Amino acid sequence: MIAVAIDGPAGAGKSTIAKKVSAELGFIYVDTGAIYRAVGLACIKKGIDEGDSRAVKKLLEDIDIRIIFFNGEQHILLNDEDVSGEIRTETVSMAASTVSAIPEVREFLLALQRDFALTDNVIMDGRDIGTVVLPNAQVKIFLTASPEVRARRRVEQLAEKGESADYETVLADIVKRDHNDSSREIAPLKPADSAFIVDTSDITLEESVKKIADIIKENIE
Ligand code: DC
């Protein structure tokens, strides 16, 4: 099996790029942020403080999270309910970032992620795929862009969906989430030793897709 790890900060374009490249190569694309979001959402639904690690650990005993594919699209089931749409809010993003610093949450989600790489060729995106989840991945990419560019892209994405967002607020959220994700003790966001570092700040989406697809093709033969 071939595994490709794509890690990087929020909003660098990982999922958009990974989706396109996996369709081109015929690989399964797994977005691992979605399962951390499902844990964050479960806390919100139950009224649990995401920073309260004891309460979150207890909650893990009552939740079942599954990743399924429907017409080639990933869906997330939280206790059998499809929450794929519900997990895509800014509130859930921050809750996911907070719970992701709890070691038991990471442990709880580990096998779920690794199992995909046993049975399929995968492109998996997240924060610790090349360093922890799939340390033997054949290709590791660290995709990044400046916080300002990521915030601008996020505002544009929301505008396309008809939602307005304040640039300064989005930027502040991105900087806060970068800090949370990079400074946590366990599995912090950082490039794996052998990762190709790709900065998409000054290149278009099409150029980024081509660059990543080329790196993968050159390194899986
Ligand atoms: O990729 P995303 O923005 O949907 O991820 C949401 C949060 O989940 C992110 O802020 C940190 C956490 N996360 C993680 O710790 N490890 C991963 N492999 C993926 C996401």
Side-chain angles (χ1 to χ4, degrees), residues 95-164:
S97 181
T98 307
V99 293
S100 73
I102 302 173
E104 287 80 0
V105 170
R106 308 202 68 83
E107 184 62 34
F108 178 74
L109 299 174
L110 197 55
L112 181 62
Q113 300 168 80
R114 284 189 177 152
D115 283 353
F116 282 100
L118 298 176
T119 50
D120 290 277
N121 291 331
V122 289
I123 296 187
M124 204 173 277
D125 91 26
R127 304 292 187 286
D128 62 338
I129 308 304
T131 50
V132 177
V133 179
L134 303 176
N136 298 322
Q138 284 86 339
V139 188
K140 298 178 184 180
I141 293 167
F142 192 83
L143 197 68
T144 188
S146 73
E148 291 75 16
V149 166
R150 289 184 279 133
R152 185 169 46 71
R153 288 181 187 158
R154 180 76 188 134
V155 171
E156 284 165 7
Q157 251 176 15
L158 289 168
E160 276 167 26
K161 289 200 283 178
E163 296 169 36
S164 72

Side-chain angles (χ1 to χ4, degrees), residues 13-130:
K14 297 187 300 290
S15 65
T16 316
I17 294 170
K19 249 185 222 170
K20 285 182 189 275
V21 176
S22 45
E24 188 183 326
L25 299 177
F27 284 24
I28 286 193
Y29 163 57
V30 183
D31 158 16
T32 64
I35 53 182
Y36 288 91
R37 286 170 180 268
V39 177
L41 178 67
C43 292
I44 295 169
K45 280 181 187 276
K46 295 258 182 187
I48 290 172
D49 170 1
E50 306 91 32
D52 180 347
S53 57
R54 270 180 56 182
V56 176
K57 274 187 248 174
K58 183 116 195 23
L59 170 83
L60 295 177
E61 293 166 15
D62 300 327
I63 58 175
D64 173 51
I65 293 175
R66 273 182 297 144
I67 301 179
I68 57 161
F69 289 88
F70 189 65
N71 288 338
E73 281 279 318
Q74 172 180 308
H75 286 255
I76 301 297
L77 303 184
L78 170 61
N79 292 343
D80 292 327
E81 186 193 346
D82 190 336
V83 293
S84 312
E86 231 180 314
I87 57 173
R88 298 287 155 204
T89 65
E90 295 304 318
T91 317
V92 175
S93 302
M94 210 51 92
S97 181
T98 307
V99 293
S100 73
I102 302 173
E104 287 80 0
V105 170
R106 308 202 68 83
E107 184 62 34
F108 178 74
L109 299 174
L110 197 55
L112 181 62
Q113 300 168 80
R114 284 189 177 152
D115 283 353
F116 282 100
L118 298 176
T119 50
D120 290 277
N121 291 331
V122 289
I123 296 187
M124 204 173 277
D125 91 26
R127 304 292 187 286
D128 62 338
I129 308 304

